[in-house]
Structure formats: structure tokens, C-alpha cells
Amino acid sequence: MTENQPGWGGDLGFDTTVAHNARVWNYWLGGRDNFPADREVGEQVRQMFPGIVDVARADRAFLGRAVRYLAGEAGIRQFLDIGTGLPTADNTHEVAQRIAPDSRIVYVDNDPLVLVHARALLVGIPEGATDYIDADAHDPGSILRAAAETLDFAKPTAIMFLGSLNFILDTDTAVAVVDHLIDHVPSGSYLVVAHPTHELGGEANAASMRHWNEHATPPITPRSRDEVARFFHGLELLEPGIVSCSRWRPDSASAGGLPPEVPQFGAVARKL
Ligand SMILES: C[S@@+](CC[C@H](N)C(=O)[O-])C[C@H]1O[C@@H](n2cnc3c(N)ncnc32)[C@H](O)[C@@H]1O
């Protein structure tokens, strides 16, 4: 069976005819780990809301700046990255281990293609450690149990949800997942979130998300700033707070000042 034929993905063992978020995200980032159904929906969304490519790029750049800060200035050596995505340039372990080679990273995703690639590609350097867990973000208990084989949860840990809490559709449930994880890490740990929002995106962005939910999987929900703020309750939000992720400590401001906003909040907070 070739990738152009409908049906199950041969040796991969999953259905490639339904667009899936990890593979469409890869398409928007210019990657090649995607199938015709992913490209079709990815292109439809891009036609409806061309800014989606800027969102994906800004999210990855935010990941880089947040991890550089955490591994550098904040001295963090453990990272639990939930909703990893397909391997691309500057994955969390590469950014962290460039600064602190002894960094230990555990990736979590539930996409079968991420699983296939991650085991092969998300390989760290000998001074540190990199592991991959095939698990669902709705189940933080299982994630903690598996991650404890690589991470020592008595030590400060960065818990990262970049573009993934938006797949836990009920906000109370998503807050409970974050709380569960934060309760199991010590003071001096961090929470990093990137999350889509209609507040910055306008009607085209909203329509493209509705289109996504009708034609692809898993379904997504955007959140308001107040809803995103709930993930950080009891934590100390770092400056500049909850902002468009493109404006979270940008490397260089454009001529007119801050970079353009994208409809994706980004924020980092510390557990006191
Ligand atoms: C938009 S991508 C973001 C990837 C990466 N974190 C980034 O910022 O570039 C979201 C990822 O979350 C994963 N994901 C979605 N729902 C999930 C769930 N319930 N449990 C674990 N991972 C999930 C998808 O498979 C996808 O790889």
C-alpha cells in the first residue's frame, strides 16, 4: 500500500486517511512526515487562515527561548514535554543539552507516527538522558509513573505543554491535569504553556478551527486569557506574563517594536 491509497498505513498500523494534528503541524512547519490527508486539511486551514504557519513557527521559537531560559538562567535540568510533536529542528533536548549537556528530557505524545519517529530521532547525548513515552495527556498518573524511570521528581522539573492542553477539551479537566503534575514536582519547578486563543485570532482563525474539528483529529479548543491563567494558579508567572507567544521575551524586536502577535498565548511560571 502506498501513502496515496486510502486505508490503513501498512506497517505503521494506523489510519493515514484522517488528518492528525502532529502530522498537519509538521506540514505547516515545512516537514515531510505527513500524508495526503494531512496535507489536504493543512492546506484548507492555511487557505482559511494563512497566519497558521506563523503560529507554528512562533510556537517553536517560543519553545526555544523558554527552554534556553530554563536550562540557562533558571538552572533546570529536567524537562517533561507533553505533546512533543514530530521531531523537527531544535527539539527540547537539543536546545537544553546544548546549554546543559546533563539535561534529562522525557517526551510524551499519543500519536502513532510520533512514536515511530521519536524512538529513532529523539536521542540525547551520553551526559544527559532522553526518553519517549507513548501516553495520553489526560492520564497524568501514568505519565508520572513512566517518566520517573528517567526523571527524579524530587528535583525541579519543567513541565511543558506546547500546543497540547488545547486537546483536553474540558477546561476543568485540563486544569486538573496540570495541577496533578505540578503537585508532584518540588518548588523551583516550572510550567510552560503555549495555547491557541480566539482573543488574538479573529473570525478567520475561529472558522479554521471549526473546519479542523469537522475534518481532522483530535478536536481542538481555543481558550481565553482568563482560562489560560487558570493553568498558572498558585504559580509565579514570569515577565511578561501571558502574551502572544511571539512576544514572550523575543530575541529581537522588529523595527516598530515588538514582533507581530499570533493567536497563540505563551507563558512560563515558577512553582514557589
Ligand atoms: C500542535 S502539536 C505541538 C507539538 C510541539 N509541542 C510544538 O509545540 O511544536 C500538538 C501535539 O500534541 C499531541 N497530542 C494531542 N493530543 C494529545 C493527547 N491527548 N496526549 C498526548 N499528546 C497529544 C499531538 O499528537 C501533537 O504531536
Side-chain angles (χ1 to χ4, degrees):
M1 179 175 290
T2 74
E3 68 158 18
N4 291 310
Q5 290 177 289
W8 293 87
D11 291 336
L12 295 172
F14 59 84
D15 190 354
T16 58
T17 64
V18 178
H20 204 282
N21 178 263
R23 307 188 301 255
V24 179
W25 190 250
N26 171 269
Y27 173 70
W28 289 327
L29 285 170
R32 288 192 289 179
D33 298 314
N34 43 68
F35 296 92
D38 306 312
R39 296 192 279 277
E40 191 181 331
V41 172
E43 202 42 39
Q44 287 163 356
V45 168
R46 200 179 65 81
Q47 299 277 331
M48 296 174 80
F49 176 61
I52 190 64
V53 172
D54 300 325
V55 170
R57 289 184 186 148
D59 169 287
R60 294 300 304 183
F62 166 70
L63 180 150
R65 295 194 303 279
V67 172
R68 277 203 301 279
Y69 166 78
L70 292 170
E73 215 174 306
I76 290 292
R77 295 292 176 267
Q78 302 199 118
F79 298 82
L80 181 57
D81 182 351
I82 301 173
T84 309
L86 283 153
T88 177
D90 280 341
N91 302 294
T92 298
H93 72 286
E94 291 161 330
V95 179
Q97 290 178 344
R98 239 179 345 244
I99 292 170
D102 55 336
S103 297
R104 305 176 77 80
I105 291 87
V106 172
Y107 290 112
V108 181
D109 208 291
N110 68 348
D111 183 287
L113 190 63
V114 176
L115 174 67
V116 169
H117 285 271
R119 291 251 157 88
L121 296 179
L122 298 176
V123 178
I125 54 178
E127 297 94 313
T130 305
D131 195 11
Y132 179 83
I133 300 171
D134 180 26
D136 193 313
H138 291 82
D139 185 3
S142 295
I143 291 173
L144 286 168
R145 274 191 297 282
E149 291 183 16
T150 304
L151 305 180
D152 175 357
F153 285 119
K155 295 182 180 169
T157 303
I159 295 171
M160 303 172 53
F161 282 101
L162 279 88
S164 50
L165 281 171
N166 37 274
F167 297 110
I168 302 180
L169 300 182
D170 177 68
T171 301
D172 288 344
T173 304
V175 170
V177 164
V178 172
D179 285 352
H180 186 114
L181 294 165
I182 291 292
D183 283 350
H184 283 79
V185 291
S187 115
S189 294
Y190 286 83
L191 175 66
V192 184
V193 172
H195 200 295
T197 178
H198 282 350
E199 286 185 0
L200 303 177
E203 180 46 35
N205 184 212
S208 71
M209 266 190 231
R210 286 195 295 274
H211 183 83
W212 173 271
N213 285 343
E214 284 160 19
H215 296 94
T217 190
I220 189 169
T221 189
R223 289 195 166 96
S224 66
R225 186 189 301 267
D226 286 350
E227 286 171 318
V228 170
R230 289 186 58 196
F231 298 129
F232 295 100
H233 73 97
L235 307 178
E236 178 188 49
L237 263 178
L238 304 192
E239 286 298 324
I242 301 170
V243 293
S244 166
C245 65
S246 58
R247 293 188 170 183
W248 193 90
R249 304 187 178 191
D251 288 330
S252 58
S254 57
L258 289 167
E261 287 186 318
V262 294
Q264 178 102 331
F265 284 130
V268 180
R270 183 170 182 275
K271 182 171 177 178
L272 297 168

